[in-house]
Structure formats: C-alpha cells, structure tokens
C-alpha cells in the first residue's frame, strides 16, 4: 500500500473542499472496498478524507417517502422499521450482500461507489481498461464467468457488484449530492454508467461531489416483494445473477411492477420493457415467461458466462412467482 495523507473533516463543506483541491484525494467512509483496492495497488490515493464524523447517518420519513443518509450502515438500513415495513425489497437486498461483519461497517454511499470485482481489474499484472485505460480488456477473451451480458462494450464487460443498488434502481431512488457547484439530485437509474469508451468512469459524479443521502418515494409494493440472488455459495459471494421484483397486485392482476437485475451489467440493470408488458397482466407463469423473454432481448454471452442466458430468464420467473405469492 502506498503512503498517503489522512484528513478528518466534520462538515460536508470541508469534505468537498478537501477533495476538490487535490486530484489524488478520495473520501473514506466504511472502507470495506477502498482499503482492499489500496492494498492491491489498484487505486493509490495520496490523501484520504475521513467523512465518518459527518451527520449523514439518519434514516427518516419524509413527506414523499424516506430519506437515508449516505453514512447509514447497511445493517442499520436493513433492520430499520421504516425500511422493513415500507421497502422490504431494499432490506432483502442488503441482507443478501457480503457478511454481517461487512454490513456492520459498509455505508449506503460506499456501497453505491464500490468497484467491480472483475479479477482482471484486481490483478495489476493483467490488462484492464477500467484500471488502466487503453491497456485492453483481459476478460473478453479470458475467464469471464462472472461478467456482463447486457450493455457491454469492446472496452469492458465487467459487472457492478452491489445487491443494494439493484433494489434502489427498482424502487426509483434519487441520489442527493453536494459539490463545489452546489447541490443536485440524480435519478438512481442515471447514477451509474455503462462502460462505453470510458469504463474507468463508474458513475456520473463530478470531481469533489459527495453523496449526502438517498431518497425513496412511497410505493405500493411492500406486500409483494422478493430479492433472488443466485451465487456459488450461500453467503459472502457476489451474484452470478440477481433479480429484484416488486408487484402491486389487485386480486391476481398486476397493477404495477418493478424489476431489476444484478450480476449482468456494468450498472444495476432495470427491466423497464418487461415492466411495461406486465402491467395489467395476470400474475401467471405464462405472463412471467413472456416478461422474461422480453427482458433478455439483447443479452450476449462471452463463453464462460453463456449460462447466464438461461439462468437470467429463469431467475426473473422465479423472483416474480415468489413476489406474487408473498402477500
């Protein structure tokens, strides 16, 4: 690990100023991903700005839904009564991630900012356009079992690793950020990026911007929500494929629906066309199979990950069937 300066701040304005004036500085919260990256020399910041003393860990009801502070710990969010009662999909997704020890340290903002777990990204001896632009993508013709089937580019086929973010994109969350130019709101669906020609850019944050909170609007999905995570072992493993499904039912008819997938793209993958198809349809296996076929349009395997082309639609169907009968 490289040597670095350490600065602790006590207010958001100071945090933004500290990172803005130094191109090599980074925010430090729980550190559950950042420290690993530093140990492997994947990232080498010259300064860490500790933001753990900022008053950004509250979870509170708002006039339109709920606001979750960026420094709220994953465990605290998953177990909070407001979340469990009104946004169970988020609670389920959080509890599916990492281990209890990591969830006790990891923050909401940090979870959003975590980097891909692609082995080529972590191995500094291998080519990786995300780590070193222009060096190539070792995964495309290499070992790519964990990699993307949607939204890829010739520069990168890595996947976003978060479970929490799948629930947030499905639930139409909004990210509140503060930076040198003031505050702004980012729809969660626009926070993360596809790789395109700049896979080194994971999100749409500008230099110095600090995540302050995440807001979720009220919804009618609490009674019929499910998060399905298919992985190699029962705990502390990243998703091969995951699906967040939430339904608003009237009898056996789907009034509204939210669907998103993880383990399949460089960003949390919202299935909007499948959602549109399911509205007004009966909650039957036939409907779910048709929705899964729509959802998988454009999917492409790279050899080792071809199994996701079958696992993906099967997971969508299973998640929808479970969500439909959870009420």
């Amino acid at each position: 690990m490289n040597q670095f300066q350490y600065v602790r701040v006590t207010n958001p304005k100071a945090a933004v100023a500290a990172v803005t004036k130094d191109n090599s500085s980074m925010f430090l919260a729980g550190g559950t991903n950042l420290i690993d990256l530093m140990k492997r020399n994947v990232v080498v910041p010259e300064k860490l700005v500790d933001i753990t003393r900022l008053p950004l860990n509250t979870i509170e009801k708002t006039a339109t839904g709920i606001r979750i502070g960026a420094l709220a710990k994953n465990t605290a969010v998953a177990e909070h009564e407001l979340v469990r009662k009104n946004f169970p999909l988020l609670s389920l997704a959080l509890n599916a991630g990492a281990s209890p020890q990591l969830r006790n340290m990891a923050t909401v903002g940090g979870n959003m900012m975590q980097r891909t777990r692609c082995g080529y990204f972590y191995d500094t001896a291998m080519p990786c356009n995300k780590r070193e632009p222009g060096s190539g993508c070792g995964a495309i013709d290499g070992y790519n079992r964990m990699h993307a089937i949607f939204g890829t580019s010739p520069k990168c086929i890595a996947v976003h690793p978060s479970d929490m973010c799948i629930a947030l994109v499905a639930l139409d969350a909004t990210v509140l950020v503060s930076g040198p130019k003031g505050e702004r709101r980012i729809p969660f669906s626009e926070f993360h990026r596809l790789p395109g020609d700049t896979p080194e850019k994971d999100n749409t944050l500008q230099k110095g911007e600090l995540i302050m909170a995440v807001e979720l609007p009220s919804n009618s999905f609490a009674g019929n929500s499910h998060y399905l995570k298919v992985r190699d072992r029962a705990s502390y493993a990243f998703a091969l494929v995951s699906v967040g499904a939430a339904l608003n039912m009237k009898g056996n008819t789907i009034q509204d629906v939210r669907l998103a997938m993880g383990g399949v793209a460089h960003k949390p993958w919202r299935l909007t066309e499948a959602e549109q198809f399911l509205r007004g349809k009966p909650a039957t296996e036939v409907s779910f199979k048709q929705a899964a076929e729509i959802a998988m349009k454009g999917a492409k395997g790279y050899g080792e990950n071809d199994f996701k082309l079958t696992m993906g639609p099967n997971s969508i169907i299973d998640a929808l069937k479970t969500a439909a009968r959870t009420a």
Side-chain angles (χ1 to χ4, degrees), residues 221-289:
F221 302 123
N224 296 92
S225 296
H226 183 62
Y227 186 74
L228 173 65
K229 182 176 183 178
V230 184
R231 46 188 163 176
D232 287 323
R233 56 181 184 272
S235 65
Y236 196 39
F238 296 99
L240 296 170
V241 169
S242 66
V243 179
L247 303 172
N248 177 14
M249 306 279 293
K250 185 176 182 180
N252 193 48
T253 301
I254 300 169
Q255 300 293 301
D256 201 1
V257 56
R258 296 291 186 273
L259 276 174
M261 295 182 76
V264 296
H266 195 260
K267 62 183 291 184
W269 195 249
R270 180 78 176 265
L271 306 176
T272 53
E273 290 188 19
E275 291 175 355
Q276 293 171 5
F277 168 81
L278 284 170
R279 292 187 182 103
K281 298 293 194 303
T284 64
E285 186 162 354
V286 171
S287 296
F288 297 156
K289 285 182 177 179

Side-chain angles (χ1 to χ4, degrees), residues 43-73:
V43 297
V44 286
E46 294 181 6
K47 180 189 290 184
L48 293 183
V49 179
D50 186 340
I51 59 173
T52 56
R53 300 292 180 90
L54 303 187
L56 300 176
N57 62 354
T58 57
I59 304 169
E60 57 189 355
K61 189 175 182 179
T62 67
T64 57
I66 188 175
R67 180 183 293 114
I68 303 171
L71 292 179
K73 300 295 179 64

Side-chain angles (χ1 to χ4, degrees), residues 2 34 57 60 65 77 97 99-100 104-105 129 155 164 192 198 205 237 244 263-264 284 290 299 317:
N2 66 301
L34 176 58
N57 62 354
E60 57 189 355
V77 177
S99 66
N104 288 341
M105 283 297 297
N129 288 319
K155 298 291 183 66
M164 178 196 78
H192 296 97
T198 54
L205 285 178
V264 296
T284 64
Q290 290 176 303
I317 295 166

